[in-house]
Amino acid sequence: MTYNELRHLLTPLYGDDEAKAMARMVYDVRFGLSLADICIGKDTQLSAKSQAELREIAERLLRQEPVQYVLGQATFCGRTFHVDERVLIPRPETEELCRWILEEKATNILDIGTGSGCIAVTLAAELPQAQVTAWDLSEGALEVAKENARRHQAAVCFEQVDALCIQQTTIANGYDLIVSNPPYICRKEAEAMEANVLEHEPHTALFVPDDDPMLFYRAIARYGMEALCDGGWLYFEINPLYADMLAKMLSSMAYHDIETRHDQYGKLRMTRAQR
C-alpha cells in the first residue's frame, strides 16, 4: 500500500484534507518517511513486514480509531506525548490555555485531572523553577502521565486524587495557580460528537451529568478558595455553552478579575479567576 492508496482509502470516511494529514502522519511517525521521501517514491519500497503493519494501521483507522491512539503519540506545545485509550488526546485549544498560563510565571502549580500530563509536563518543562503537582483519579492515566514526565525529564509530583472528594488533608500548599481541564460535556451533547471520540476516548474524562454541568468546576473552585494563596489564579478549560454560568458561579464564590477568552476557532474556551 502506497501513501496515495492509503489516502484514497481513508478519504470517504474522513474527507480529503484529514485523510492526507493522517496518511502523512502514519508514514512519518511509523516509517520515518517525510513528504519529500514520498514524492520520490520511497513509500513503494516498504518491506513486507512494514506493509503488513501498514495494513493493520489502515484497518484500525477505518474503524475510526483516532490516529493518535493507533500511533501511540500526539504533539502538544511542540513536544511528543504518549497517548492511549486511558487518556484524552491533547487538543490545540488546551495548548492555548497553557500559553496563557505561562504568562503568569507561577511557582507553585496544581493541575487537577491531568490525564496524559500534557498540561503539567509542559508547565514543568517551561517553568523549571516551579513546583508542579498533578492529580488524577485514574490509575491508568497517571501511568501515562508519569511516562510522559520521564520522557521530557519534567519534575512533576503525581498523586491519585478524586477532584470530587478532596480530603481536607490535601489542602496544604498555598498554590499560586490551579489549572483544570475537567470533564465538561453533557451527555445530551454526545449525539453530535464524532464516532472516533465517542467510541474510543475515556468517557469519565469527557462527560458530566446533564443536570449539573458545573459539577467539576464547582468542586475545584471551592477547593481553590481554600488552597490558593491570596492573589492566586484559577484557570479552566471550559464548555462554551456554560461560559456565563461558570463566570456567575465564580463571582458568587468571591473570585474576582474573571476573564474568559476565545480559542483559535472563535469559541469561548478558557476562563481564569483570581482568589
Side-chain angles (χ1 to χ4, degrees):
M1 184 184 300
T2 66
Y3 162 81
N4 280 324
E5 287 171 338
L6 177 61
R7 177 170 66 86
H8 289 306
L9 188 65
L10 298 176
T11 294
L13 189 60
Y14 293 101
D16 190 52
D17 288 343
E18 189 171 356
K20 284 180 182 178
M22 291 170 71
R24 288 176 186 172
M25 188 174 177
V26 167
Y27 275 91
D28 180 22
V29 171
R30 193 52 57 88
F31 305 110
L33 296 181
S34 67
L35 187 58
D37 292 326
I38 293 168
C39 288
I40 62 174
K42 287 191 176 181
D43 58 323
T44 66
Q45 301 169 17
L46 294 178
S47 67
K49 181 179 179 181
S50 292
Q51 282 288 346
E53 184 178 3
L54 183 57
R55 286 192 294 272
E56 180 183 349
I57 289 171
E59 289 171 3
R60 292 175 68 181
L61 293 175
L62 289 172
R63 293 196 295 268
Q64 292 189 281
E65 186 173 348
V67 66
Q68 294 90 343
Y69 288 160
V70 174
L71 299 176
Q73 69 177 58
T75 301
F76 185 85
C77 287
R79 294 178 175 85
T80 300
F81 285 78
H82 170 67
V83 293
D84 59 33
E85 293 196 358
R86 293 174 290 178
V87 299
L88 293 180
I89 298 165
R91 262 67 174 189
E93 49 267 40
T94 310
E95 294 188 23
E96 296 180 74
L97 177 64
C98 268
R99 286 193 287 270
W100 194 15
I101 291 169
L102 287 171
E103 297 173 10
E104 283 300 313
K105 307 295 183 185
T107 58
N108 194 1
I109 299 169
L110 173 62
D111 174 24
I112 299 180
T114 196
S116 66
C118 61
I119 293 176
V121 169
T122 298
L123 296 179
E126 296 292 331
L127 301 170
Q129 79 283 3
Q131 178 179 330
V132 180
T133 303
W135 294 351
D136 207 287
L137 176 60
S138 165
E139 186 174 344
L142 287 171
E143 290 173 358
V144 173
K146 289 175 183 177
E147 177 184 339
N148 284 320
R150 288 192 295 270
R151 175 181 293 197
H152 296 292
Q153 299 181 318
V156 179
C157 176
F158 293 100
E159 300 175 8
Q160 189 172 18
V161 178
D162 184 348
L164 299 180
C165 301
I166 302 171
Q167 301 299 315
Q168 289 299 312
T169 53
T170 312
I171 300 173
N173 292 324
Y175 299 106
D176 54 0
L177 193 148
I178 295 176
V179 55
S180 184
N181 178 13
Y184 60 61
I185 301 172
C186 288
R187 289 280 176 180
K188 63 187 177 184
E189 298 175 66
E191 61 185 35
M193 295 172 65
E194 297 290 341
N196 59 345
V197 174
L198 194 58
E199 295 176 10
H200 296 280
E201 298 199 52
H203 285 199
T204 55
L206 287 170
F207 292 111
V208 289
D210 288 346
D211 61 354
D212 194 3
M214 294 292 104
L215 178 64
F216 284 91
Y217 296 120
R218 184 171 56 251
I220 294 166
R222 283 175 176 167
Y223 176 69
M225 291 304 294
E226 300 291 335
L228 281 167
C229 63
D230 288 340
W233 287 97
L234 179 64
Y235 282 78
F236 284 128
E237 185 169 321
I238 68 171
N239 186 331
L241 296 174
Y242 303 107
D244 288 343
M245 185 185 297
L246 175 59
K248 290 175 182 177
M249 185 195 74
L250 293 172
S251 180
S252 73
M253 290 183 174
Y255 283 94
H256 59 90
D257 290 323
I258 299 165
E259 180 182 358
T260 300
R261 288 190 179 183
H262 294 83
D263 64 18
Q264 61 185 307
Y265 307 110
K267 294 184 177 181
L268 291 170
R269 185 61 70 185
M270 59 206 89
T271 292
R272 74 173 183 177
Q274 193 168 29
R275 183 189 182 283

